[in-house]
Amino acid sequence: MSDLNQQMAAKYQNNFLREIEEQAEMGEWVKMCMQCGLCSGSCPTNFHAGWDHPPQELFMMIRAGKRDEVLKSNSMWMCTSCYNCYVRCPRKVPVTHVMHGLAEYAYRIGQSPKNQPTQHLSKTFWDNATKTGRVNEVKLTQSLYFKDGIGSGIKKAMEMQAVALGLVKAGRLNPLEAVGIAHKCKDIKGIHAMLAKANELEAQHKAEKAKA
Amino acid sequence: MARKEYAFYPGCSSQKGASASNYLTSVHSMCNTLDIKMTEIPDWNCCGASVSYAESGELPRIAMNARNFALAETNLPGQDIVATCAACWLGSRESKERLEHNSGLMADTQAALKEAGLQIKVIPEVRHMVEVLIEDLGYDELKKPIKKPLNGMKFAGYVGCQTNRPFGIAGESFENPMYLDKLIETMGGEAVPYDQKVTCCGGALAFSEPEKAQAQIKDIIEAAYDGGAEMLVTPCPLCQANTEVYQGQINKKYGTKFNMPVLYYSQLMTLAYGGTAKEAGLKGQVIRAPKLEQFAG
């Protein structure tokens, strides 16, 4: 168990609902769920493999204190951010945001599934976007292909070759971005200072809540 | 002076050589005709999109959006921010809403912005380009500059998710929004009925869970063909890319024969306003649209 996970488990003891309410973004909404299942029926990825626990099931599992099952679940990582559940929920629970919040919390305390592809994408995307202030689409694609090493990266790149070539031909993927001739913000220094402060404050607030 | 002026937030995909550069080209042509002046927010940054949630956390993501607000307010005072990308619009609007309803979050955001020498006084309105077209100009005004109506062409208006949910266009329903169909028809085209208008294309999961996303994309394209459409039309850069560039892979996997061009509303409008193929960014189609190329002459 990671230190942060141990700390949180000890602090909240058997009250997993309170842990989620205080530590996960939008977690305070979990108690509003009335188990109608509209979110699950509205989810585009619910009908594919991987969605072991659709949203309303996760909500009930949180109340039932099934800490490990929820935090280690693959399910909330299946969210495409389509907001179908969000607009349809009769209790106005922002289900999309709660899914993101649960995933982020599980990841932050080191309990999320390892090698989860959307988790990897999330980190890769944010790191890519904040490095220069703007997304470098070529580098983003490269780091996604090569996440499992060179061999599988080349295989994936070959599979995607037609897609990439089509985009290059249409002037919508610029290979020069790979060598640094890329779009970027001027005040990168300012952006990094701003983000450092934001990270510091967010960590501080979460620690304060856990202490209270 | 132009008829309308806005602080333009093009977003990462709508830059030169990026995946929605054809969107940018056609938006500029369309706005020229409509006498809309779009001034880029100086040094704007990425909104973080939806998928960055796990790594970013709330405050850093909102700080990124707040930086754009502060830059727009300082450099282009009094102008609404206009985004062409659905994710930019959603990320910005969500940030605006949370900042305006949470004074603690606002104080933290101001503290973060201070590190970049910025501050927020009033957060500008955040609009999507189609809101500007429909609400600030209206269908009648959009009709006036038409030189070549798109007569006899059949389009499936693919609204998708993030220009529709959770905010959407005022007065439209989440389940069956009509604005894109109305835009198509205003330009003289035919908007065919089909049942996947607001189905998700998979969004960012097209990268991380391609099989799941491609299964959804297959349903969308199939329904568009069934509805009799020749082309798909969308207001979102990720919808456009996802429904266009994976058709080849879907064909291999499912044995389908998809080859449907996917356009932006702004490309249709540019062409109906008499613009050239170049002005409409038609060379930017991965699946070329020969019918429109011919039409443009």
Side-chain angles (χ1 to χ4, degrees), chain B residues 155-216:
Chain B
F155 303 95
Y158 175 48
V159 178
C161 300
Q162 294 194 349
T163 33
N164 183 40
R165 299 181 297 264
F167 297 109
I169 306 300
E172 296 281 359
S173 84
F174 296 129
E175 309 292 342
N176 187 18
M178 296 307 294
Y179 74 85
L180 194 52
D181 290 353
K182 280 190 220 160
L183 272 181
I184 292 167
E185 277 161 8
T186 304
M187 295 304 124
E190 185 185 333
V192 306
Y194 75 119
D195 64 4
Q196 304 282 333
K197 189 195 265 182
V198 295
T199 300
C200 175
C201 69
L205 266 69
F207 293 105
S208 56
E209 300 272 1
E211 287 193 4
K212 294 182 173 71
Q214 288 182 15
Q216 290 169 215

Side-chain angles (χ1 to χ4, degrees), chain B:
Chain B
M1 212 178 104
R3 167 157 68 166
K4 301 272 180 192
E5 293 190 29
Y6 302 97
F8 185 30
Y9 180 27
C12 301
S13 64
S14 279
Q15 300 182 93
K16 193 167 182 283
S19 58
S21 45
N22 49 341
Y23 192 10
L24 186 73
T25 304
S26 57
V27 163
H28 279 317
S29 308
M30 175 188 79
C31 287
N32 268 340
T33 303
L34 292 169
D35 196 22
I36 296 173
K37 189 179 169 195
M38 303 274 272
T39 314
E40 211 169 299
I41 300 169
D43 211 37
W44 57 266
N45 56 256
C46 173
C47 68
S50 302
V51 77
S52 69
Y53 62 82
E55 187 63 26
S56 66
E58 185 182 27
L59 185 56
R61 194 175 67 239
I62 286 185
M64 287 290 272
N65 284 287
R67 182 176 176 273
N68 292 330
F69 299 156
L71 288 170
E73 194 194 346
T74 311
N75 295 290
L76 302 161
Q79 296 186 13
D80 291 356
I81 293 174
V82 172
T84 39
C85 167
C88 294
W89 180 58
L90 172 59
S92 305
R93 267 194 73 167
E94 229 162 56
S95 300
K96 175 179 161 75
E97 198 176 270
R98 290 195 197 185
L99 285 169
E100 286 175 346
H101 290 93
N102 184 339
S103 54
L105 191 62
M106 181 60 122
D108 286 348
T109 303
Q110 296 280 28
L113 281 175
K114 205 174 155 199
E115 297 291 316
L118 296 167
Q119 64 162 322
I120 290 178
K121 291 192 194 87
V122 181
I123 302 176
E125 290 301 319
V126 179
R127 324 266 311 276
H128 190 279
M129 187 76 231
V130 296
E131 284 183 295
V132 166
L133 296 178
I134 296 164
E135 292 165 8
D136 297 5
L137 275 79
Y139 296 104
D140 289 344
E141 279 302 312
L142 298 178
K143 205 169 198 164
K144 283 183 187 166
I146 294 178
K147 288 188 183 138
K148 291 163 72 182
L150 303 169
N151 290 337
M153 292 193 215
K154 293 179 177 183
F155 303 95
Y158 175 48
V159 178
C161 300
Q162 294 194 349
T163 33
N164 183 40
R165 299 181 297 264
F167 297 109
I169 306 300
E172 296 281 359
S173 84
F174 296 129
E175 309 292 342
N176 187 18
M178 296 307 294
Y179 74 85
L180 194 52
D181 290 353
K182 280 190 220 160
L183 272 181
I184 292 167
E185 277 161 8
T186 304
M187 295 304 124
E190 185 185 333
V192 306
Y194 75 119
D195 64 4
Q196 304 282 333
K197 189 195 265 182
V198 295
T199 300
C200 175
C201 69
L205 266 69
F207 293 105
S208 56
E209 300 272 1
E211 287 193 4
K212 294 182 173 71
Q214 288 182 15
Q216 290 169 215
I217 296 165
K218 175 182 166 276
D219 288 349
I220 296 162
I221 306 289
E222 209 159 54
Y225 273 117
D226 289 348
E230 301 164 288
M231 290 169 257
L232 213 61
V233 181
T234 170
C236 167
L238 193 53
C239 292
Q240 195 284 335
N242 280 354
T243 52
E244 183 189 38
V245 308
Y246 300 114
Q247 286 187 35
Q249 293 206 322
I250 291 169
N251 287 342
K252 267 189 207 158
K253 186 167 179 201
Y254 293 96
T256 47
K257 288 178 184 158
F258 294 164
N259 191 35
M260 184 175 280
V262 186
L263 284 297
Y264 293 105
Y265 63 90
S266 48
Q267 295 181 291
L268 260 51
M269 291 175 69
T270 301
L271 293 171
Y273 293 164
T276 61
K278 195 179 170 199
E279 285 163 338
L282 286 186
K283 274 201 177 144
Q285 307 311 116
V286 170
I287 297 177
R288 298 296 280 258
K291 199 161 182 179
L292 289 179
E293 285 176 24
Q294 214 171 18
F295 174 85

Side-chain angles (χ1 to χ4, degrees), chain A residues 1 10 126 131 212:
Chain A
M1 271 213 259
W126 179 252
K131 192 174 175 199

